[in-house]
Amino acid sequence: MNGIPDTNQSDDFRVIARALTIVENDLNGSTTLLKSLKFDKSCPVIGITGPPGAGKSTLVNGIIDILLRGKKKVAVLAIDPTSPFNFGSLLGDRIRMASHFNHPDVFIRSLATRGSLGGLSAKTIEMADVLKAAGFDYVLIETVGVGQSEVEITGLADITLVVLVPEAGDEIQHIKSGLMEIADAFIINKADREGADVFANNLKKIIGHSIEEQPPIFKTTASQNQGIDNITAFIQQSNLKQNKRRKLLLTEKVYKLIQQKMMAGIDKKKLQLDITEALEAGNFNLYSFVDTYV
């Protein structure tokens, strides 16, 4: 398979889905496919992150609606965390985006983190590039989690939106500076709830003390389609930023891909079995055990 057909010429999403499957599972031809990708048009990647229950999927749904009105073609990678115990994932975002499943200009793919702590699968970068090369106007990546580990989204997204809710309350004080630095905009969703204005003011003060250039703070009620048009307008601004972090973004991407290739021979399930055997044998030493894998 040489490259991906542009969706302007082919609406057969089965071809794109098959390419994503090849890349995600490292099937035969994956490397050749990735090296053959051609990016003929600008396609920004929009990262949307925040805690579970913040309403990210509903927000993404509203953004898609507005982009479609502007005749845009949109791809979505909805990432769900994988259980560290049984390696399963709910992949429930598809349920909340069901209204767009059959739209000819929307492609939705769910993806499990497969053990990645930062909310991103190691394959997300490659899959996002496949979608960018397929001729979409926007690629939206929804990932779960708020914390220092979540900063890895900045290695992938051109624009990062951090979604919070008024109930975060005093917890905003505990948000690490890394999260403050990755956000191009903050979204306070469910803003119809009590305490939203106070929360927005507190967030503004904390951001002001943390970083020099303050990102905007939007208030939305995604379930009622309120405030989403402002966020979509923000995303569509052609002069949004000059990508000052481009070197950082590329460094993070390359680092992640190198890490992925170096870890390719390690099966996590087998690793768990080996640890179990080592524990049962007694005298387990974490660092000596690691040396047997390095």
Side-chain angles (χ1 to χ4, degrees):
M1 182 179 294
N2 296 318
I4 307 297
D6 191 310
T7 54
N8 289 321
Q9 290 134 15
S10 171
D11 288 324
D12 188 357
F13 284 172
R14 288 177 297 179
V15 176
I16 299 173
R18 188 161 60 247
L20 289 173
T21 298
I22 291 172
V23 168
E24 181 181 7
N25 296 288
D26 266 331
L27 301 180
N28 186 37
S30 173
T31 300
T32 301
L33 188 154
L34 288 169
K35 289 181 178 180
S36 70
L37 294 179
K38 296 180 180 180
F39 306 98
D40 297 328
K41 62 188 293 185
S42 174
C43 175
V45 175
I46 314 299
I48 302 169
T49 185
K56 297 184 298 296
S57 295
T58 306
L59 188 69
V60 169
N61 224 34
I63 292 173
I64 294 172
D65 280 335
I66 296 174
L67 291 176
L68 289 177
R69 285 181 222 149
K71 308 299 182 183
K72 303 297 183 183
K73 296 179 182 293
V74 185
V76 179
L77 278 180
I79 302 173
D80 278 305
T82 306
S83 167
F85 302 106
N86 61 19
F87 301 98
S89 180
L90 180 60
L91 300 177
D93 293 298
R94 285 191 170 194
I95 299 172
R96 291 182 286 276
M97 297 181 196
S99 62
H100 291 119
F101 276 167
N102 296 320
H103 197 287
D105 291 331
V106 180
F107 180 90
I108 300 172
R109 176 78 169 229
S110 294
L111 178 65
T113 58
R114 297 189 174 186
S116 175
L117 295 178
L120 292 182
S121 163
K123 284 296 182 181
T124 311
I125 293 172
E126 295 173 356
M127 294 175 74
D129 277 342
V130 169
L131 293 173
K132 287 172 65 177
F136 290 99
D137 296 298
Y138 291 91
V139 173
L140 307 181
I141 298 182
E142 179 197 335
T143 181
V144 72
V146 167
Q148 196 74 17
S149 64
E150 196 58 19
V151 300
E152 68 179 44
I153 186 68
T154 199
L156 175 60
D158 299 300
I159 302 170
T160 301
L161 307 176
V162 175
V163 185
L164 301 169
V165 289
E167 287 81 358
D170 293 337
E171 294 177 13
I172 193 67
Q173 300 286 349
H174 304 297
I175 291 180
K176 302 292 183 72
S177 61
L179 182 64
M180 295 293 182
E181 292 166 359
I182 70 167
D184 293 299
F186 285 94
I187 299 170
I188 300 176
N189 193 30
K190 305 182 182 181
D192 55 335
R193 295 184 178 179
E194 186 178 353
D197 291 336
V198 173
F199 179 69
N201 290 333
N202 289 340
L203 177 59
K204 187 174 182 179
K205 291 175 184 177
I206 293 171
I207 296 172
H209 288 126
S210 303
I211 52 181
E212 294 180 6
E213 188 176 344
Q214 248 189 36
I217 299 174
F218 297 102
K219 288 192 292 184
T220 64
T221 305
S223 60
Q224 299 175 26
N225 286 319
Q226 294 179 358
I228 300 179
D229 50 345
N230 293 329
I231 296 168
T232 310
F234 174 79
I235 291 172
Q236 291 181 296
Q237 291 177 23
S238 59
N239 60 344
L240 182 62
K241 63 179 180 180
Q242 297 302 315
N243 209 357
K244 299 175 183 176
R245 299 178 305 188
R246 180 164 179 75
K247 291 181 180 178
L248 170 64
L249 297 177
L250 288 175
T251 300
E252 289 294 323
K253 281 187 179 183
V254 172
Y255 184 88
K256 193 73 176 177
L257 292 173
I258 292 173
Q259 182 184 55
Q260 173 188 303
K261 289 185 180 298
M262 293 183 69
M263 294 288 289
I266 297 180
D267 185 316
K268 198 168 183 180
K269 291 185 179 180
K270 182 179 183 303
L271 175 61
Q272 185 174 343
L273 291 174
D274 290 344
I275 289 174
T276 301
E277 291 179 4
L279 286 170
E280 291 174 351
N283 298 319
F284 177 79
N285 180 280
L286 175 65
Y287 306 98
S288 296
F289 179 84
V290 170
D291 281 344
T292 66
Y293 267 81
V294 175

